[in-house]
Amino acid sequence: MLPFPIKRRRKEAAVAIDPGAPHVVFPDICIFLVERRMGAARRGFLTSLAQRKGFSVAQEYSGAVTHVVSEQNSFTDVLSWIERKTGKPMQSAEDQMSPHILDISWFTESMSSGKPVPVEATHRLGILGSQVSKDKDALSTVAPYACQRRTPLTHHNSEITEALEILGKAAAFQGSEVRNLAFSRAASVLKSLPSKLQSAEEARNLVWCGGHCQAVIQEILEDGVCHEVEALKICEQYQCMELLTGIFGVGVRTAERWYKDGVRKLRDLENPNIKLTADQRAGIEHYTDLKQPVTLQEARHVERLITDALHRFVPDLEITMTGGFRRGKQQGHDVDFLITHPSEESLNGVLKKAVDWMDSQGLLLYHHTKVRSRVLAQRRSTHMDGHETCYAIFALPSLDSMRCEAGAPGAHTWRAVRVDLVVTPYEEYPFALLGWTGSKHFERELRRYSWHEKNLSLNSHGLYDTQKNCSIPATSEEEIFALLGLDYVPPPYRNA
Ligand code: UTP
Ligand code: MN
């Protein structure tokens, strides 16, 4: 087992409210922290934190207050508490505009951004108790499999999901798929919620969010951070595993072996005793470029290049960008494409021809083509031999030609970008599209659902009834969902 630090709940000591006049960076904002349910010690801690970051925090409520922040209180709780303290009815609170009556989430987000974040509906306390009970119902009815839910790209609980995903990654680094799945499931459930979790109590109603996950949720809601996650982020082994698994061609097992052999930095891999695959050598050579996220604009540029190359050989080849970009992401770690055509003959050998042509044009820094496995090929009655995948590193010509001309002599006029090109027979295309659109967790859940709930085996080639030993055809993604008895989930909602 890796020596990752054991979680320890740290109780913040009472911090006195700074009586001096701290430097105010945001003069338009005046925060008032409601002590009710927060307690004096935590209020003191949060006050100093905000003051250190340049926020003005009022010790007494007054008309100067612009943002009232409270924890675990309803809108009416806050109003009556302030009215009792001041002995006056609060002015124009009904419209919730002046002052803003907010949940602690606005405060923690502002502290981590280092500036006041815009107030959104999710930050405001609900006016009526009925809203709370409606949300509670929504929480207890979250479906257990990610493929039974809609998960948008942007959601309301990113602080918690990011923490859970780091814990999931650490579990994967330790070789524990079970714990990795547990954290991924909890994170995925929170991503699908229609609103921000208000309390750890609410999480109790959620599927997959008990035990360790519940403790993490509670800690973040109360303290704004999870200490186990903060400790992981600075743990040498975690950082090193992250560095090594971030290399193209390196999985967890290889990274772990290297770590045990003393590898800590990329240059430690220059040791001649370490045998590297061709993928890994290319991954190390272009490490810095490949770590830079690929933008949607760059992905579109790659799309134009490969479309041009492939259409030179088969003009009506169908090319689809899949992966994260199809789910609406604005950036990714690579660009994924599916290539298909109704005629198998048109597909045979086309990828190789296009790749060779792009290579001759200096567009490729590296490529490695894998031919479809024999077992899968035999499952099909036809004899197509062209179902290949090309894992490539493109030398993407710079979009910013001005910068290139002004660049120093010998400066790159390109950047390395990872691209996956997959050729798929026409009848497998809907399955390949579903399989390569992701997210990884959505796919994992879809396969588990098919197997455990429907007794069917699903992959990027097809859907198989293993008892009847036959495949079940489909002509669209919608049809595959229908065959599985699932509501159709459009790609932008597969960000599980
Ligand atoms: P990616 O790893 O490219 O993920 O795989 P992504 O969602 O596009 O993320 P970014 O934006 O690049 O970081 C895309 C989908 O393709 C499947 C994965 O399971 C995922 O669902 N995939 C990937 C395969 O089926 N086989 C592979 O060899 C690689
Ligand atoms: Mn991708």
Side-chain angles (χ1 to χ4, degrees):
M1 276 294 109
L2 303 179
F4 288 144
I6 292 168
K7 178 177 182 282
R8 202 172 293 130
R9 293 271 288 124
R10 186 160 60 85
K11 280 275 160 249
E12 296 297 344
V15 178
I17 292 176
D18 185 357
H23 177 60
V24 174
V25 180
F26 312 107
D28 296 335
I29 291 204
C30 177
I31 299 173
F32 176 71
L33 292 160
V34 176
E35 199 174 298
R36 183 176 189 269
R37 295 215 167 120
M38 184 180 280
R42 182 160 160 73
R43 182 172 180 240
F45 166 72
L46 296 177
T47 299
S48 319
L49 176 71
Q51 288 175 336
R52 276 201 306 279
K53 292 188 182 264
F55 288 80
S56 156
V57 184
Q59 300 200 36
E60 303 293 338
Y61 182 80
S62 76
V65 169
T66 56
H67 292 63
V68 175
V69 173
S70 94
E71 235 173 355
Q72 295 179 52
N73 287 291
S74 70
F75 181 79
T76 40
D77 284 344
V78 172
L79 247 56
S80 17
W81 189 83
I82 293 177
E83 286 174 354
R84 256 201 323 278
K85 291 269 167 191
T86 59
K88 285 190 279 195
M90 268 186 80
Q91 297 297 308
S92 55
E94 303 78 23
D95 63 9
Q96 281 210 64
M97 289 305 172
S98 169
H100 298 293
I101 309 288
L102 304 170
D103 175 59
I104 189 78
S105 58
W106 174 83
F107 183 91
T108 46
E109 279 172 40
S110 297
M111 293 309 121
S112 49
S113 310
K115 59 177 190 302
V117 296
V119 172
E120 289 176 5
T122 51
H123 298 128
R124 297 185 194 280
L125 293 183
I127 296 180
L128 301 169
S130 62
Q131 183 59 38
V132 174
S133 61
K134 220 163 73 197
D135 285 354
K136 269 214 175 102
D137 288 348
L139 297 185
S140 56
T141 54
V142 173
Y145 289 96
C147 53
Q148 296 171 306
R149 309 187 288 260
R150 287 187 167 220
T151 314
L153 186 60
T154 51
H155 61 91
H156 310 277
N157 291 286
S158 46
E159 271 188 334
I160 303 176
T161 58
E162 281 162 18
L164 291 168
E165 282 174 341
I166 288 175
L167 293 168
K169 213 189 294 182
F173 290 165
Q174 290 173 309
S176 174
E177 265 313 301
V178 175
R179 289 179 56 240
N180 170 270
L181 181 62
F183 288 121
S184 304
R185 273 178 164 162
S188 168
V189 165
L190 298 186
K191 287 179 189 177
S192 76
L193 295 184
S195 57
K196 199 171 177 75
L197 262 191
Q198 299 295 325
S199 67
E201 187 57 38
E202 280 185 356
R204 261 189 256 284
N205 298 312
L206 289 171
V207 65
W208 307 123
C209 289
H212 195 160
C213 294
Q214 161 117 42
V216 173
I217 294 169
Q218 177 161 6
E219 198 177 351
I220 292 177
L221 289 175
E222 287 178 2
D223 300 352
V225 287
C226 166
H227 294 98
E228 184 182 9
V229 172
E230 296 309 303
L232 267 175
K233 285 186 196 162
I234 53 168
C235 166
E236 190 212 32
Q237 188 163 6
Y238 178 84
Q239 288 178 348
C240 189
M241 288 295 285
E242 176 122 292
L243 171 88
L244 298 176
T245 55
I247 302 171
F248 169 52
V250 179
V252 167
R253 280 204 208 119
T254 305
E256 201 176 5
R257 198 178 63 237
W258 287 348
Y259 183 82
K260 281 197 184 123
D261 291 345
V263 175
R264 297 292 179 269
K265 301 246 160 17
L266 286 186
R267 64 167 185 279
D268 296 339
L269 293 168
E270 287 163 17
N271 180 340
N273 292 328
I274 295 177
K275 297 275 168 282
L276 298 171
T277 64
D279 280 7
Q280 291 162 356
R281 272 198 303 275
I284 294 164
E285 187 180 344
H286 302 291
Y287 185 82
T288 313
D289 267 12
L290 298 183
K291 268 285 153 192
Q292 285 263 338
V294 185
T295 64
L296 181 57
Q297 196 189 16
E298 288 171 325
R300 292 280 171 230
H301 192 184
V302 175
E303 187 176 39
R304 287 193 295 275
L305 294 174
I306 63 149
T307 304
D308 173 49
L310 286 159
H311 283 177
R312 278 169 190 270
F313 303 97
V314 181
D316 55 348
L317 218 50
E318 293 174 26
I319 300 151
T320 315
M321 195 191 291
T322 60
F325 289 110
R326 186 165 179 250
R327 302 197 309 276
K329 281 177 69 174
Q330 296 298 302
Q331 54 182 43
H333 93 283
D334 67 357
V335 201
D336 309 286
F337 293 97
L338 284 181
I339 299 155
T340 194
H341 193 276
S343 133
E344 290 199 355
E345 210 182 311
S346 298
L347 289 178
N348 272 340
V350 70
L351 184 60
K352 183 173 179 346
K353 285 184 208 157
V355 165
D356 287 348
W357 184 82
M358 289 190 288
D359 208 7
S360 73
Q361 300 299 301
L363 287 170
L364 297 181
L365 296 164
Y366 175 78
H367 62 98
H368 156 205
T369 301
K370 210 169 78 181
V371 181
R372 168 190 179 80
S373 86
R374 201 177 282 263
V375 179
L376 284 163
Q378 280 169 355
R379 276 206 184 141
R380 302 175 65 242
S381 50
T382 58
H383 294 93
M384 186 194 151
D385 59 355
H387 191 182
E388 306 151 324
T389 303
C390 175
Y391 302 96
I393 300 178
F394 269 55
L396 186 66
S398 173
L399 290 164
D400 183 358
S401 55
M402 295 300 288
R403 202 189 61 204
C404 296
E405 279 160 23
H412 282 175
T413 55
W414 50 266
R415 68 158 287 205
V417 169
R418 271 272 302 115
V419 177
D420 287 343
L421 303 170
V422 183
V423 175
T424 172
Y426 208 64
E427 69 272 23
E428 290 184 7
Y429 175 74
F431 297 98
L433 187 60
L434 181 56
W436 279 84
T437 297
S439 69
K440 283 197 189 74
H441 186 66
F442 189 89
E443 300 300 332
R444 177 157 66 165
E445 291 276 279
L446 198 54
R447 287 193 297 271
R448 292 170 68 87
Y449 170 90
S450 306
W451 188 246
H452 292 288
E453 306 299 324
K454 300 287 162 182
N455 235 318
L456 297 171
S457 165
L458 175 73
N459 62 30
S460 293
H461 301 274
L463 182 64
Y464 306 96
D465 186 326
T466 47
Q467 280 168 338
K468 294 188 189 143
N469 200 17
C470 65
S471 57
I472 304 168
T475 56
S476 65
E477 283 185 316
E478 284 87 341
E479 198 179 338
I480 303 171
F481 279 88
L483 285 168
L484 293 169
L486 289 168
D487 285 341
Y488 178 62
V489 180
Y493 295 102
R494 296 184 203 160
N495 288 291

